[in-house]
Amino acid sequence: MAVVVETTIGDFTVDLYTEERPQTCRNFLKLCKLKYYNWNLFHSVQSNFIAQTGDPTSTGKGGESVYGIVLGEKARYYEAEQMPKIKHDRSGLLSMVNCGSNMLGSQFFVTLAPELQSLDGEHCVFGEITEGLEIILKFNETICDGDHRPYQDIRISHTVILEDPFEDPKGFIIPDRSPPPSKEVLMSDRIGADEVIDDTAGMTAEEITEMQKEKEAKARATILEIVGDIPDAEMAPPENVLFVCKLNPVTTDDDLEIIFSRFGKIIGCEVIRDRQTGDSLQYAFIEFADRKSCEEAYFKMDNVLIDDRRIHVDFSQSVAKMRWKGKGKGVQYFDDEADEVGNENLEKVISKHKQRDEPRSKEIEHRKYERIKDANKAKVYSYNRDKYIEKEKYKVQRHRDSSRERYEYDSRRRKESKRRSRDKSRDRSRDRSKRESYREHKQKKKSDGEKKRWDRGNSGSSNEDLRYEKHKDGHSSYKKKRTKNRSVERYEKSEKHKQKRR
């Protein structure tokens, strides 16, 4: 169930907890139906806490429930519902105000911050804002007096019920139209809800421009305070310190002190230098004993030629030598001994500053020596670094060459192994062919022998003839061979005999 509440600073929609808080939701819906909340004032607005309304008298002590309107004064309040427990754990919750003894009337408030444990168990939560939560930001930005009442009135102008599931009580009379604002509303001692506030009314264009510049300067100072650049936004820089820039790097503290001392006593003169090298950053701060001397130096020394440089002089805007002690405790000038000891010890402070500047030249010389030493170290380091880089390159190249040789050796080995395997396969094929030819020869020989035996078995009568023919052939061949050998021997003997005769 929802209700739209229209106010003078914006509208918001409320979803009611009709199941958890049926009696309280019924009371709120019927009061909205009676237009009871029209023109009610938000009489108490506490930033990041609550915004309270629902009292037609705008005092925080009035108001009654719908039962009091229908049944009379005796039923002005009703008992609050306690179960289930609903906590004030987020912003945008609507809660009925406890009027004492756990009794509720018509007043309610809107929570403007989360985790408000102090309200739990005392006030009755019955709804929450689901649309228009930006109104909470407007409530938190409202300017109020000491009693938490806004200087400009914030009122409920109208309420619209989107759905009402409860029946109307007996004797409940619905008005025909919304009531007009009363004389008390129109004659309020505060700024009217519809009144437009113009801060620039009656001001000239120059005054308006100046006011805008002041606001921008305050905003910038606040940002610098938040960032931490300055201790406090309201802090102003000292009026007896000059800022001098565009200096020649050879200009020293003593030179500036001698030049500016003709305008009055100088408490401190410091040329800002680099912390590491000691070189001048070409700007300085000069602190005078009084404001008048500082103003004279500002008007006469701007654009003056010092060491062939046109300097620029301005009042210092630095607050680096100030420390904020805390809220209400003021500011301490922690590097300004003159303010601590007073004017009687002013000469001691000046001599102290001079003594502080004396060893600066030695320190500068030492820094120069250290800088030269570091430069030599850098040269040695660069030489060693180049040498190391060359060595690493040689190692990388050597590794590449060795890897190339290893790759070629591996490729040769792979080729040789392939060739050997190929030759082995060829030898195996050759051996296989030889074995096959030998088997064929053996098989043929066997078959020939069997054929011969079979022929012998078939021709038994002719065996003797065959043997005789064979023996005859053998004998004739032996005879021929023997005669041949004898002829050879005779020839050799004759040849030897001839040689002997010669």
Side-chain angles (χ1 to χ4, degrees), residues 464-475:
E464 293 179 1
D465 298 337
L466 290 172
R467 286 176 185 174
Y468 176 76
E469 291 292 333
K470 187 176 182 181
H471 177 70
K472 188 178 180 180
D473 293 337
H475 181 71

Side-chain angles (χ1 to χ4, degrees), residues 26-27 29-31 33-34 65-71 164 166-174:
R26 184 186 182 191
N27 174 55
L29 285 170
K30 300 309 173 185
L31 290 176
K33 208 168 186 179
L34 286 172
S65 67
V66 67
Y67 309 109
I69 296 172
V70 175
L71 301 177
D164 183 6
F166 302 104
E167 295 182 358
D168 297 337
K170 294 181 180 179
F172 186 79
I173 301 172
I174 302 173

Side-chain angles (χ1 to χ4, degrees), residues 266-283:
I266 295 177
I267 298 175
C269 179
E270 182 180 4
V271 176
I272 307 302
R273 300 180 180 276
D274 187 88
R275 291 183 179 181
Q276 295 182 352
T277 62
D279 297 336
S280 172
L281 299 180
Q282 302 178 22
Y283 68 92

Side-chain angles (χ1 to χ4, degrees), residues 143-301:
I143 302 173
C144 304
D145 58 10
D147 297 330
H148 305 293
R149 181 175 175 180
Y151 284 108
Q152 186 175 12
D153 289 341
I154 301 174
R155 297 182 181 273
I156 297 174
S157 57
H158 195 59
T159 55
V160 180
I161 300 173
L162 301 181
E163 187 177 356
D164 183 6
F166 302 104
E167 295 182 358
D168 297 337
K170 294 181 180 179
F172 186 79
I173 301 172
I174 302 173
D176 297 336
R177 59 180 181 175
S178 299
S182 61
K183 291 183 180 180
E184 296 178 355
V185 173
L186 298 175
M187 298 299 293
S188 176
D189 57 344
R190 301 297 172 109
I191 301 172
D194 299 331
E195 186 176 349
V196 179
I197 302 174
D198 188 7
D199 296 336
T200 60
M203 297 176 65
T204 62
E206 295 178 355
E207 292 175 346
I208 293 171
T209 305
E210 186 176 356
M211 183 181 69
Q212 290 176 351
K213 289 181 178 179
E214 289 179 358
K215 288 182 179 180
E216 291 175 358
K218 288 182 179 179
R220 287 194 294 268
T222 304
I223 293 171
L224 292 175
E225 180 185 4
I226 293 171
V227 172
D229 285 353
I230 59 175
D232 187 25
E234 301 296 331
M235 180 181 292
E239 297 179 350
N240 61 332
V241 179
L242 277 183
F243 171 73
V244 183
C245 61
K246 298 183 180 180
L247 294 172
N248 195 311
V250 300
T251 305
T252 62
D253 305 341
D254 296 336
D255 298 337
L256 288 178
E257 188 173 354
I258 292 170
I259 294 170
F260 282 86
S261 61
R262 64 190 185 93
F263 298 103
K265 290 184 178 181
I266 295 177
I267 298 175
C269 179
E270 182 180 4
V271 176
I272 307 302
R273 300 180 180 276
D274 187 88
R275 291 183 179 181
Q276 295 182 352
T277 62
D279 297 336
S280 172
L281 299 180
Q282 302 178 22
Y283 68 92
F285 292 94
I286 302 173
E287 185 176 0
F288 289 88
D290 54 6
R291 176 181 174 183
K292 186 177 180 181
S293 302
C294 184
E295 291 179 352
E296 290 180 1
Y298 168 73
F299 288 117
K300 293 184 179 180
M301 293 301 294

Side-chain angles (χ1 to χ4, degrees), residues 61-82:
K61 299 178 181 179
E64 58 182 343
S65 67
V66 67
Y67 309 109
I69 296 172
V70 175
L71 301 177
E73 184 66 23
K74 292 183 180 180
R76 180 179 179 183
Y77 302 112
Y78 68 96
E79 189 175 358
E81 298 153 302
Q82 297 182 351

